[in-house]
Amino acid sequence: MIKPVQRVVQYPLLLRAIQSCCEQDTLQAKQVEVALQKMQTLAEYVNEMQRVHEQYAPHIDLLRRQNEVFLKEKGLRIDIRDLVLFAHVQWLNVEKSMQEYVIFVFQTLILLLPRNVRRDCKMKWMRVLPINDVQVEDDRNDEPVLTLIHMRTNERHSNHDAPYHLACCQLALKQQLVRSIKKAKANFSRETRRPLSGSSQSDGGYGSDPVKDRKSS
């Protein structure tokens, strides 16, 4: 039986078959063409995500387990459903042999993993950055280069590597990366500033206990 995600890559074939039955320059032909382009983009994304999952999922899971206490204290999640964007970058201020990285922007944090990560890859080459502790510097508007500054350090990260000078392959990718980080940071800030309702005990409010009220009556 074909899994739903496997059907996605077959839809472009179906749309091409439909397209071959449409008369040129008709509304139906144009609609099928638009649908085909979108499905091809989606199929490429699914294939890329599958490749990323196969290559990096074990290391992401290792980071999740080894940072479990830290993540819980900070209210952070490493969940593929929270992935906003990933991209290949160069980490410029490390030794040249270790500059090729993949950056994963999640809703609550950023991961930096070596692009050709191996099973024996040391934890010192991996980074977990809480999204709310990251400041983006993008003062070189015409170059695909940006800087991430980790505003708070802890025992896992020494002060000397707090700035991350990153280079993207394209200017447009850098711009998308900057937007994604800023958006995730803004969303996380809004969540953490959610006001208490004052009526829910889960919010630490002053709602009465129905069980106690019934007993007292």
Side-chain angles (χ1 to χ4, degrees), residues 196-209:
L196 300 180
S197 67
S199 61
S200 169
Q201 290 183 332
S202 64
D203 280 345
Y206 299 97
S208 61
D209 188 332

Side-chain angles (χ1 to χ4, degrees), residues 54-92:
E54 292 173 355
Q55 185 172 359
Y56 297 104
H59 304 283
I60 292 176
D61 187 57
L62 176 64
L63 280 172
R64 183 192 297 112
R65 286 185 278 108
Q66 293 195 348
N67 292 274
E68 186 174 359
V69 175
F70 172 72
L71 295 174
K72 188 174 182 180
E73 288 176 352
K74 289 279 191 177
L76 309 177
R77 300 181 303 273
I78 302 180
D79 190 324
I80 197 66
R81 292 171 296 183
D82 291 340
L83 183 62
V84 177
L85 178 142
F86 70 93
H88 292 165
V89 297
Q90 284 186 309
W91 183 1
L92 300 177

